[in-house]
Amino acid sequence: MSSRGMQQQVSSDAEVLHHLYVSYFKQVYYYAFSIAKDRELAQDAVQETFLKAYRHIELLEQLEQKEAWLKTVSRHVIIDMYRKQRREMCVYSGSRDAFLGDTDVERTVVDQHFLRELLSSLNPINRQSLLLVYEYGLTYEQLADRQKTSISAVKSRIHRAKQKLRGVALQMERNMGV
């Protein structure tokens, strides 16, 4: 395809996306908000939904039920956002309440130090497993393949790492007088 033909295709795709956005934004936003019950999360989900729509514009142009497809994608996006948020909360829970009087910068530095100490208490394979799953979003299957081991071994490593982190975090909080 020539560069001119490619520009016309991109322009055409952008026009189709603009038409979809104008036609379905409100419906998708209200649907996302009804699930998330949070304005910012719903806005983020709608933005991600329309990005996915752009990536699959050829498929979407052929569908009759465009609104249903967009709503389904937005629901999946919200679920993914909740899962990611839950994973992040699991790693950072416990340390924030101890430093309520500190500034945000000080709290961030303390949280980073706390997290580094927690992670350094793990043996390298458990630390790697935990970070690859919770920080980088690998599934247990992907991690097992990467580490050339079984899924049950990965689950055991993650479980042991979480137990160790809980114990070390409690001990550190007791030492800090929390």
Side-chain angles (χ1 to χ4, degrees):
M1 180 181 280
S2 71
S3 117
R4 182 179 169 101
M6 205 171 217
Q7 287 175 340
Q8 289 174 337
Q9 179 63 36
V10 169
S11 176
S12 173
D13 290 350
E15 289 172 13
V16 170
L17 181 66
H18 178 72
H19 176 70
L20 285 170
Y21 185 83
V22 168
S23 299
Y24 299 108
F25 170 79
K26 284 183 181 178
Q27 294 92 320
V28 174
Y29 172 79
Y30 289 124
Y31 180 74
F33 183 78
S34 74
I35 295 170
K37 305 290 191 241
D38 179 274
R39 206 178 295 161
E40 289 179 11
L41 185 61
Q43 290 170 350
D44 290 346
V46 170
Q47 180 179 0
E48 184 65 29
T49 298
F50 281 100
L51 282 172
K52 288 183 183 219
Y54 184 73
R55 287 186 208 119
H56 297 88
I57 202 77
E58 295 84 19
L59 166 72
L60 202 51
E61 284 180 290
Q62 298 169 8
L63 290 177
E64 290 184 27
Q65 299 295 324
K66 292 172 180 56
E67 182 178 349
W69 187 90
L70 290 166
K71 286 180 175 180
T72 300
V73 169
S74 72
R75 184 179 74 243
H76 291 189
V77 166
I78 289 170
I79 291 168
D80 290 344
M81 288 175 165
Y82 276 132
R83 285 178 181 155
K84 182 179 180 190
Q85 191 176 44
R86 190 175 71 221
R87 282 193 301 251
E88 290 169 355
M89 292 299 290
C90 185
V91 173
Y92 290 108
S93 67
S95 65
R96 291 215 180 266
D97 296 342
F99 307 102
L100 285 176
D102 295 336
T103 65
D104 286 341
V105 173
E106 291 169 331
R107 191 176 313 128
T108 300
V109 169
V110 170
D111 284 351
Q112 288 174 350
H113 177 73
F114 186 78
L115 186 58
R116 267 195 306 276
E117 282 192 45
L118 282 176
L119 291 174
S120 70
S121 71
L122 298 175
N123 68 36
I125 191 71
N126 288 354
R127 180 174 46 246
Q128 179 192 48
S129 299
L130 194 70
L131 288 172
L132 288 173
V133 169
Y134 289 104
E135 181 70 19
Y136 296 100
L138 265 63
T139 64
Y140 289 161
E141 292 82 11
Q142 292 168 328
L143 184 58
D145 185 50
R146 183 179 190 151
Q147 292 180 340
K148 306 214 183 320
T149 189
S150 68
I151 294 172
S152 62
V154 166
K155 288 179 180 179
S156 294
R157 286 178 184 153
I158 297 292
H159 180 72
R160 283 192 301 270
K162 285 177 174 179
Q163 282 183 315
K164 172 85 174 182
L165 286 178
R166 279 186 203 106
V168 172
L170 287 172
Q171 186 61 40
M172 288 173 69
E173 287 179 350
R174 280 188 212 120
N175 292 344
M176 287 189 273
V178 176

